[in-house]
Amino acid sequence: MNIKYLKLVTGEELITEYIDSGESVVTLKNTLGILMSQTDKGFNIQLVPYGSMADKETILVNHKNIVFTAEPEQKLRNQYESITGQVITPPEAKIIT
């Protein structure tokens, strides 16, 4: 599964399963919008359904409308996987000597 964090030209930030569909269009599946707000303790992040009125769980977006894509940080990825009912990726094992 190819989970990506991306930003659209509209300023919306998303986390989604990214399925590259060709030269001009990309398919996004199980897409959640990222809402950030500032609190006294720092930033608060909420994940909300994106395109929830669409008939199917996939949406098509023109490549021109995507400013950037990136790998999401592990905490964000785990929250996304938890919400979408996927297996949470365990942290990478490290040996401390």
Side-chain angles (χ1 to χ4, degrees), residues 66-85:
I66 298 173
V67 177
F68 69 80
T69 63
E71 293 298 320
E73 62 179 20
Q74 192 61 47
K75 199 171 171 182
L76 181 60
R77 175 185 281 273
N78 288 347
Q79 189 175 0
Y80 173 81
E81 290 173 343
S82 175
I83 290 171
T84 58

Side-chain angles (χ1 to χ4, degrees), residues 27 37 56 80 84 86:
T27 301
S37 59
K56 302 190 186 233
Y80 173 81
T84 58
Q86 300 168 26

Side-chain angles (χ1 to χ4, degrees), residues 1-8 11-19 26-36 43 45-47 65-80:
M1 179 171 14
N2 191 16
I3 298 172
K4 294 287 185 188
Y5 161 63
L6 56 93
K7 186 169 189 166
L8 301 178
E12 296 165 299
E13 295 182 41
L14 310 173
I15 184 165
T16 186
E17 187 175 338
Y18 188 93
I19 305 165
V26 64
T27 301
L28 307 178
K29 184 177 178 182
N30 296 323
T31 305
L32 297 176
I34 301 171
L35 299 179
M36 284 193 278
F43 285 98
I45 295 176
Q46 289 181 296
L47 299 181
N65 294 327
I66 298 173
V67 177
F68 69 80
T69 63
E71 293 298 320
E73 62 179 20
Q74 192 61 47
K75 199 171 171 182
L76 181 60
R77 175 185 281 273
N78 288 347
Q79 189 175 0
Y80 173 81

